[in-house]
Amino acid sequence: MPPSDERPTRPSLLLYFDASVRYGPDHATPTSAAVGFLVEDGSETVIEESIRVDAFVSSSQLEYRALVEAVRAVEAYPTTVASLHVHGDADAVIRAVDPQHPTTPDDRLARHRVAAVRECVADIPLVTYRAVGRDENERAHDLARAGHSR
């Protein structure tokens, strides 16, 4: 146990999220959907999930769902978090949830999910959002694809 005058170090976490839709032979009919995310503390992955989604509206809504699932996992993290840095390749989702550059989604479900994300991270002192390319989000993409088989 640290001496009483020392405060335990609170981690800064990196979060990556993605969604995946599989289509039938006609390349138009969705057959499966899944989301995936990972959270790192700078040196190792501390949370990793692949989740099959049975009902979905669109691939955009799946991206919101992936982020909601990810921030819920961070909210349940057993240590108080100093900062959270959110990364995803869904630029519209990143813009909608970032209070520094807010845009308002057109549909009610997306607005509900934006509110859920903001509520989950409300107690974290610093939260940043950044749209990244697929190459930087590859592990989250792989986790999302793995969710199809769950």
Side-chain angles (χ1 to χ4, degrees):
M1 183 169 181
S4 61
D5 62 339
E6 288 184 28
R7 299 182 102 180
T9 303
R10 299 184 318 168
S12 291
L13 301 178
L14 305 169
L15 181 156
Y16 297 85
F17 70 96
D18 205 3
S20 175
V21 178
R22 287 198 176 151
Y23 294 92
D26 62 358
H27 301 289
T29 305
T31 60
S32 177
V35 299
F37 62 88
L38 67 143
V39 178
E40 300 174 341
D41 68 1
S43 60
E44 66 180 346
T45 300
V46 294
I47 304 170
E48 186 174 275
E49 287 285 334
S50 297
I51 303 167
R52 182 180 174 86
V53 177
D54 293 327
F56 69 100
V57 178
S58 68
S59 59
S60 175
Q61 286 298 334
L62 275 176
E63 295 283 356
Y64 281 109
R65 171 82 182 267
L67 182 53
V68 168
E69 295 291 345
V71 295
R72 284 181 178 158
V74 169
E75 186 177 41
Y77 193 66
T79 303
T80 303
V81 175
S83 63
L84 178 66
H85 306 282
V86 177
H87 303 85
D89 57 21
D91 190 52
V93 173
I94 293 291
R95 284 192 318 264
V97 297
D98 185 352
Q100 299 297 317
H101 309 285
T103 60
T104 303
D106 292 334
D107 66 276
R108 187 173 49 93
L109 180 57
R111 288 191 302 272
H112 173 75
R113 288 185 170 156
V114 167
V117 168
R118 289 181 180 167
E119 183 178 324
C120 286
V121 302
D123 292 334
I124 300 173
L126 174 64
V127 180
T128 64
Y129 299 90
R130 189 165 70 108
V132 297
R134 174 62 56 89
D135 58 327
E136 197 171 334
N137 207 38
E138 186 174 354
R139 181 69 185 134
H141 179 71
D142 291 345
L143 287 166
R145 291 178 53 171
H148 292 285
S149 60
R150 296 191 184 265

